[in-house]
Amino acid sequence: MKGNEFLDKMELIDPAYVEAADAKPKRRKIAWVKWGAMAACFCLVVASAFMIPGIWNTPVPPISDPGTSGIPVPDPDGTIQREDEPVEYPPTTIIPGVVLDEPFDPGSLIFNDATSLLSASRRYIPGYFTEELSDEELSAIKPNRQIPDMMFSAVAGFDGEGTLLEVFLMIDAPSLDETTHVTFSNGNPSSCYQLLEEPLVSTFNSIDFTIYQWTPDNSNYTLDAQAVINGWTMQIVYTATAENLEKAKTDLATIILCLSDYEDGKPDFSAIVAESIPEYFDKKISLSEAYSDSDFGFFMVQSLPDGFSEESIRRYKDQNNDYLSGLWTKGLANLSWNISAYGEKDSTRLTSVAQTENYDLSLYPIPRAESVPEELREIVDNPIFDANELTLETVYMRAYKADEAGDVDGWRMAFSVKYGDVIVEVRTKGVEPEWVYQQLMNLLEN
């Protein structure tokens, strides 16, 4: 799995760099274990008596010294006391697969009900890139305590200089209903919750965890535990539905118990080092320099609409992006021309001109969030046509006008055209469809 795919699934990027049940989980009662075991033993003794001939006629030795013979002695009130009552009991397993030094009830976790999730923007990090952790690096952040068949995978995020900023850890196990997402970062947690009062903490192995319960719709829940460990912020996120909320809380307790148990010096983030630093640059260049670009210069727009002036031309490259872009404006009208390499991620937007349901905006009235089927939203928003199929009629099927007060009333359009292994993405407002079509055809003819 590539690093960027991993991040898309996690959705836990730290904003410093780039969900509520009222009832608490019921405490499990364990007293029945001792009495149940005693009852089972008693039944076994009685059953054995009927199965072994003559057992009721077996003489009982005289008790000369009650209390020292090791045989239960009736008290005057009829109760039976054993000579030696156990003072301590063996470790108790409350969390499936986790043997604890002392009994633990998941109900002891304190969940702070959040009234809202505060949004946060991600800071721009020049050259940000990710790498999957090697087995050696992964072992440096695995907790000391683990549950059966616990599986780990992780991706590290670095800045353009190779400095480790965050680690995204995924945990799976047969006993867990969902994948657990854990983020370690040297900044603030990615989620911040609004509460009606000060949050309460739950402490495990001397580590204070602030645990939040957040639901936007009383159906889907996010359970979020945050703590600081070895100088890094740790955020544990587990999702649930109303139906499995109690089980989810037990699962979260399991993970917290594991992630609060590290040997001295761990998790060891110093062991995570970038294997290589991808090429990165972000340059503002002139139009003549854009034409000279060896990768994308040939596909830059050859002329401009009357009255449009240059805003910016940019050449950018990092681990996941490589493009040449230009922006020109005329008052509120604008022309955006973006050139990039065609990749596998773009294949879902590639469409034939014959498949009008994929791009004809006349089929989908505004607001399109309501008129476009969910499965077609990505491709309808920005379809990719093969340059050899593109027609003026197709361009007009992508163009529309919006009567918005205070804005330009000209044509608007957005689509992309594929030339071999290169894509040209065009977004315009206030530009005639004929002009756009002719510019795209010029690239095919040159």
Side-chain angles (χ1 to χ4, degrees):
M1 178 183 297
K2 296 184 181 298
N4 59 306
E5 295 173 344
F6 185 96
L7 298 179
D8 290 339
K9 292 183 179 181
M10 297 206 52
E11 299 177 357
L12 290 174
I13 297 177
D14 192 328
Y17 313 110
V18 169
E19 212 141 77
D22 293 329
K24 294 184 178 179
K26 298 179 180 178
R27 299 176 180 268
R28 295 184 58 181
K29 302 182 183 299
I30 62 174
W32 65 271
V33 175
K34 179 173 70 175
W35 296 113
M38 291 178 62
C41 292
F42 178 75
C43 291
L44 180 61
V45 170
V46 173
S48 300
F50 283 101
M51 293 173 63
I52 304 175
I55 190 170
W56 293 111
N57 298 320
T58 302
V60 179
I63 301 175
S64 58
D65 187 7
T68 61
S69 64
I71 300 176
V73 181
D75 276 357
D77 61 359
T79 61
I80 295 178
Q81 299 295 327
R82 294 190 178 275
E83 177 182 338
D84 298 315
E85 288 288 343
V87 177
E88 297 182 357
Y89 294 90
T92 303
T93 301
I94 300 298
I95 303 297
V98 180
V99 179
L100 307 177
D101 298 330
E102 56 187 50
F104 172 78
D105 181 359
S108 64
L109 273 70
I110 303 173
F111 287 86
N112 297 278
D113 290 329
T115 58
S116 63
L117 175 62
L118 304 181
S119 61
S121 59
R122 177 181 179 179
R123 181 185 305 168
Y124 172 66
I125 308 169
Y128 182 91
F129 68 96
T130 63
E131 281 186 356
E132 291 188 48
L133 268 62
S134 65
D135 292 340
E136 293 76 13
E137 292 172 328
L138 194 56
S139 66
I141 64 171
K142 287 182 180 180
N144 190 42
R145 189 195 305 272
Q146 297 182 24
I147 58 178
D149 300 317
M150 202 170 189
M151 297 173 290
F152 301 85
S153 60
V155 164
F158 304 87
D159 65 16
E161 301 297 322
T163 301
L164 180 65
L165 302 179
E166 51 209 355
V167 176
F168 305 96
L169 177 67
M170 293 199 338
I171 300 176
D172 288 284
S175 61
L176 302 176
D177 284 352
E178 301 288 340
T179 296
T180 306
H181 300 283
V182 184
T183 301
F184 296 100
S185 68
N186 59 8
N188 297 320
S190 63
S191 300
C192 184
Y193 299 90
Q194 184 72 45
L195 306 177
L196 294 177
E197 53 190 24
E198 288 297 313
L200 301 176
V201 301
S202 304
T203 303
F204 304 93
N205 290 336
S206 302
I207 299 176
D208 291 337
F209 288 83
T210 305
I211 308 174
Y212 302 93
Q213 176 176 282
W214 157 247
T215 174
D217 54 13
N218 294 318
S219 176
N220 298 301
Y221 289 77
T222 290
L223 307 179
D224 188 333
Q226 302 176 9
V228 175
I229 183 168
N230 202 16
W232 281 59
T233 299
M234 176 169 63
Q235 181 176 10
I236 309 169
V237 176
Y238 198 83
T239 59
T241 63
E243 290 75 19
N244 72 343
L245 181 58
E246 299 306 313
K247 172 60 165 57
K249 290 183 177 181
T250 298
D251 287 351
L252 179 64
T254 304
I255 298 300
I256 289 177
L257 286 171
C258 292
L259 291 175
S260 64
D261 189 357
Y262 277 97
E263 297 174 354
D264 290 342
K266 287 191 175 183
D268 181 12
F269 300 103
S270 66
I272 303 175
V273 180
E275 183 177 345
S276 62
I277 300 177
E279 183 179 13
Y280 162 76
F281 52 78
D282 187 2
K283 305 174 183 177
K284 185 175 181 179
I285 61 177
S286 66
L287 184 57
S288 61
E289 289 174 315
Y291 288 138
S292 300
D293 186 83
S294 60
D295 296 316
F296 304 128
F298 177 84
F299 301 95
M300 178 54 75
V301 61
Q302 299 298 306
S303 63
L304 298 174
D306 291 339
F308 276 69
S309 59
E310 179 183 315
E311 287 289 327
S312 68
I313 299 177
R314 184 184 184 193
R315 184 68 176 91
Y316 183 92
K317 185 174 184 178
D318 64 12
Q319 183 184 39
N320 302 309
N321 303 280
D322 186 6
Y323 62 83
L324 170 64
S325 66
L327 175 65
W328 296 266
T329 62
K330 178 184 178 181
L332 297 177
N334 60 68
L335 166 65
S336 171
W337 198 274
N338 189 87
I339 311 158
S340 62
Y342 176 81
E344 183 179 354
K345 61 181 176 59
D346 302 308
S347 62
T348 58
R349 297 189 291 117
L350 189 61
T351 182
S352 165
V353 170
Q355 297 172 289
T356 55
E357 71 278 6
N358 288 340
Y359 66 90
D360 186 355
L361 295 182
S362 67
L363 301 175
Y364 308 111
I366 296 174
R368 295 196 175 92
E370 298 178 4
S371 63
V372 180
E374 184 175 357
E375 66 274 13
L376 294 178
R377 287 177 184 173
E378 181 182 17
I379 191 169
V380 170
D381 177 66
N382 186 3
I384 301 176
F385 304 101
D386 187 283
N388 294 294
E389 290 189 12
L390 190 66
T391 65
L392 179 58
E393 181 185 10
T394 302
V395 175
Y396 266 103
M397 293 170 77
R398 288 301 301 173
Y400 70 98
K401 292 184 177 182
D403 185 13
E404 297 180 3
D407 201 353
V408 63
D409 58 359
W411 292 102
R412 306 175 186 211
M413 66 192 84
F415 62 95
S416 299
V417 181
K418 180 177 180 292
Y419 300 84
D421 58 357
V422 172
I423 298 176
V424 174
E425 177 185 3
V426 180
R427 291 183 178 271
T428 71
K429 183 169 66 173
V431 180
E432 292 297 316
E434 290 89 344
W435 184 93
V436 173
Y437 174 71
Q438 189 57 56
Q439 291 298 314
L440 294 169
M441 289 299 99
N442 287 343
L443 300 181
L444 192 60
E445 294 168 1
N446 291 341

